Amino acid sequence: MSSSSHRSSALQQADWLTGPEEGGNAEPRKSGSIAEEIMPQIKPVRSTLGLNPNPPVDEQHLEQEQAKLRWGRIRIILREPFAEFWGTFILVLFGCGSIAQVLLSAGLTNAPGRNGFGEYQSINWGWAIGLMLGVYVAGDSGGYLNPAVTLTNCLFRKLPWKRFPIYFLAQFLGGFIGAGVVYANYVAAIDNFEGHGVRTVPPSSTATAGIFATYPQGFLPTGSMFVSEFIGSAVLMFVIFALKDESNIGAGKLFPLGLFFLLFGLGAAFGYETGYALNFARDFGPRLMTYALGYGPEVWSSNRYYFWIPMVAPFPGCIFGGFLYDIFIYTGESPATTFVTTFIEPNRALGKSRDSSGDQA
């Protein structure tokens, strides 16, 4: 079997937004001296972490001497969490980096267009490219990069619930560290923009905290802030399910490109009011980093304690978007369909439940 065939088999086990099945559903691996030695040590640890005991690793790589090294085993055990970490890191690196360049260079006449190194559309490009490339980085883990998207797949696409905590942690840390790298790159430019050692948050006219976390327009009431993030998250999840639905048109191998256009469009259509965070890891991780870097408690209290909205709203928003897709378009098995059936045909739903109980008995 060729290396590309092995790779294809590994990727099939971690198809994006369908999630690899638990335990024994994976294809058995070919036996090999090194694999036979290390896999009995690796499988129990992966199972404890909620991961598929069979890691999505090229079988030939398991026969290399580096697989026996301590770091080689750690990398195999934590392959998917590492992928989610680095995928989210790339997302935030490009996204926050694009905001930094646009904001910090605004009005500079030495730019090619004599008016800074970018505009609002540059930010949309940055986040869209970051998401597309992040999914390529995290393909073997599922490439979720967003706790709300991960949770929705646990609800509607049978992603094992045990996997959610470690993915959540990896995504949060990826956003946190990604923001730190952007800050390290632009710290001199931030000093030049705000003043050496000065760090402020909106509505300050020289605020740079918005490079890292989202801050809403000052005129918005709290309810409108929540609705904006809820709607954006619902659209995000609705279209993601459409892009992955092979019984519909589906995006197939062009799925990362489809995500590029999806996030670019969300920024173009819904970015003005709250900055389209749509992602706990993208907002809270960088926000916590700004607090650690000296932006002060205003990162939490600004705009009537807005910080909790991009933490909370993406979860019900994504769940609602996934629910809508499944009850109106998706024809496969989904808890959403069962849920609706209990209201439209309660007797039939009850009968199915009784039949199921009888079969088990």
Side-chain angles (χ1 to χ4, degrees):
M1 185 179 291
S2 68
S3 176
S4 60
S5 298
H6 287 303
R7 181 68 174 170
S8 175
S9 176
L11 290 176
Q12 287 173 2
Q13 293 182 23
D15 190 22
W16 210 97
L17 291 181
T18 57
E21 297 297 330
E22 285 284 66
N25 293 336
E27 290 293 327
R29 294 189 178 277
K30 293 182 178 180
S31 61
S33 57
I34 296 179
E36 289 177 346
E37 177 183 344
I38 66 173
M39 290 309 291
Q41 305 167 20
I42 288 173
K43 286 185 176 182
V45 181
R46 286 179 56 84
S47 295
T48 301
L49 294 172
L51 303 172
N52 190 322
N54 295 296
V57 179
D58 191 311
E59 293 174 10
Q60 293 179 352
H61 295 171
L62 291 176
E63 297 305 321
Q64 296 177 357
E65 287 295 325
Q66 65 178 5
K68 297 173 62 177
L69 302 176
R70 178 175 297 178
W71 179 248
R73 295 196 302 271
I74 292 173
R75 185 171 56 188
I76 293 171
I77 290 170
L78 296 175
R79 180 174 175 82
E80 296 96 312
F82 281 161
E84 287 293 319
F85 170 88
W86 285 110
T88 310
F89 174 91
I90 291 295
L91 167 67
V92 170
L93 193 74
F94 277 85
C96 291
S98 67
I99 298 173
Q101 178 162 291
V102 171
L103 175 64
L104 300 176
S105 71
L108 291 181
T109 57
N110 63 345
R114 296 187 178 277
N115 188 28
F117 288 82
E119 52 191 18
Y120 178 70
Q121 290 297 331
S122 303
I123 296 172
N124 294 338
W125 280 96
W127 283 109
I129 290 172
L131 178 59
M132 180 179 69
L133 298 180
V135 169
Y136 276 117
V137 169
D140 281 353
S141 67
Y144 302 101
L145 315 187
N146 184 332
V149 172
T150 310
L151 179 69
T152 305
N153 279 274
C154 290
L155 285 170
F156 297 129
R157 291 296 182 271
K158 297 182 179 180
L159 181 70
W161 282 99
K162 292 192 299 184
R163 207 164 298 175
F164 178 75
I166 194 166
Y167 275 23
F168 183 99
L169 178 62
Q171 292 157 358
F172 158 70
L173 290 175
F176 181 77
I177 301 301
V181 172
V182 172
Y183 181 86
N185 183 75
Y186 280 104
V187 62
I190 292 173
D191 283 338
N192 180 66
F193 188 84
E194 286 215 75
H196 186 76
V198 178
R199 299 293 182 265
T200 60
V201 304
S204 168
S205 60
T206 59
T208 57
I211 291 173
F212 306 98
T214 58
Y215 292 85
Q217 297 296 326
F219 62 82
L220 286 173
T222 300
S224 294
M225 298 175 192
F226 190 94
V227 167
S228 180
E229 286 294 306
F230 179 92
I231 291 174
S233 300
V235 173
L236 175 72
M237 198 70 245
F238 186 92
V239 178
I240 284 175
F241 272 2
L243 292 172
K244 288 305 299 181
D245 187 358
E246 296 302 327
S247 66
N248 201 339
I249 296 176
K253 293 182 178 180
L254 295 178
F255 174 70
L257 183 62
L259 284 180
F260 169 89
F261 286 111
L262 170 58
L263 193 57
F264 189 97
L266 284 169
F270 296 99
Y272 163 56
E273 290 189 325
T274 59
Y276 73 115
L278 317 179
N279 184 340
F280 176 100
R282 170 266 175 272
D283 194 85
F284 180 72
R287 192 182 299 272
L288 185 62
M289 176 59 75
T290 59
Y291 180 72
L293 290 171
Y295 279 83
E298 290 79 14
V299 302
W300 313 113
S301 61
S302 179
N303 294 97
R304 301 182 300 281
Y305 293 89
Y306 168 78
F307 81 93
W308 68 269
I309 290 178
M311 291 176 62
V312 174
F315 289 97
C318 282
I319 292 170
F320 185 67
F323 178 80
L324 287 179
Y325 187 84
D326 278 14
I327 63 173
F328 287 107
I329 298 177
Y330 185 61
T331 54
E333 182 182 355
S334 170
T337 304
T338 304
F339 179 81
V340 172
T341 300
T342 61
F343 289 93
I344 298 178
E345 300 177 278
N347 293 332
R348 184 169 184 175
L350 182 61
K352 286 185 177 181
S353 177
R354 288 174 175 172
D355 291 342
S356 177
S357 300
D359 292 340
Q360 292 176 3

